[in-house]
Amino acid sequence: GDGGGGDGGGGGGGCDSCLLVYGGVTMREETYTEPNGQATGQLQFSFEQPSTSARLLQYHLGSGEWEELAARGAAPMGRYRHAACAVRDRMIVCGGTIIERREDVATGFQIPISIPTSEVLILHVPTITWSIPQCLGPAPAPHAGQTLTPFADTLLVVGGFTILEDGQGAEEDLSTFHCLDTCRWEWRPLSPLGAPDFTKRSGHTAHLCWGEAGAASAPCLLILGGRDHTPFHDQAHDRHLG
C-alpha cells in the first residue's frame, strides 16, 4: 500500500465494535495496442496503472469479518493518502490524492495524474450517509499524507505534501498546522510556539498525549517520523525523520 492513512493509502475511523475503512489505491493492468509501422500487424503491450477506490468497508472486531457498505448521500470520488478519524458518531475524511486520467496526444495512452485535494467529507455512521460540509475560513492547501487528530470538537491537521505546478507532478512536503472546528466547520491556521523551524514532513504519525494528571492536565501532540521531501531542479531529495 502507499500512503500514511493505512494499507493501500486508505483512511479509517472507528465505531463501537467495528473499524471503517474508506478508499485506497491498487494497481491494475492495462493493455494498449498500436501499429508497428509495418504493412500488417500491431504491437500490444501491458503495464500497471494506479487505480483509486471509493469503497467503504467495515471490519467487525468480534467476528473478524469484512463487509462492504452501500452508503447514502453524494458518493465521494475515490482517493488515497488521505486521513480519517472518528468524532462522536461521524467519520471525518480530510485531504488525499485523486487520480485523473488524461490522454497523451502522441500515443493515445491514458496517463494517470495525481491531484491532491483539501476536501472534507463526513460519514454519519448510524445512517451510513456521506455529506460535504461548507467550511469557512482559510483552508489548508490541497494536501495528502497529512495527519488528522481529534481533540474534543476540533481536528488538528499537520503537514502532508502538495503537488507543485511544474508540469512534472513533483511533490513538496509541508510544515503547516491547521485546526478545523467541527461545530462551526471553520478552518484556522496555527503557529505553534517554540519550534519555528518545524521540519516539513508527510507520512508521519501524530498522537494526542496527556500528562500524569490525565484529562486534568494540558494535552500535547506527539509527532513522530515521516519524510522531508524537497524537489530540487531535476532531482528529489528525501530525508527520513526519526
Side-chain angles (χ1 to χ4, degrees), residues 68-115:
E68 184 167 359
L69 302 179
R72 303 183 181 94
M77 296 180 64
R79 67 199 63 205
Y80 70 111
R81 299 171 93 173
H82 50 287
C85 67
V87 177
R88 296 186 299 278
D89 60 353
R90 296 168 293 179
M91 180 175 75
I92 311 298
V93 178
C94 180
T97 300
I98 296 169
I99 294 180
E100 289 188 359
R101 298 185 180 274
R102 300 175 184 173
E103 183 174 333
D104 182 79
V105 178
T107 63
F109 299 160
Q110 294 293 317
I111 306 298
I113 306 296
S114 295
I115 302 176

Side-chain angles (χ1 to χ4, degrees), residues 158-160 173-177 195-202 204 223 225 227-230 239 241:
V158 178
D173 286 337
L174 303 171
S175 59
T176 52
F177 288 74
D197 56 347
F198 176 76
T199 305
K200 297 179 180 181
R201 67 187 68 205
S202 64
H204 51 287
I223 300 170
R227 68 163 195 186
D228 173 13
H229 176 87
T230 303
R239 182 157 61 99
L241 306 171

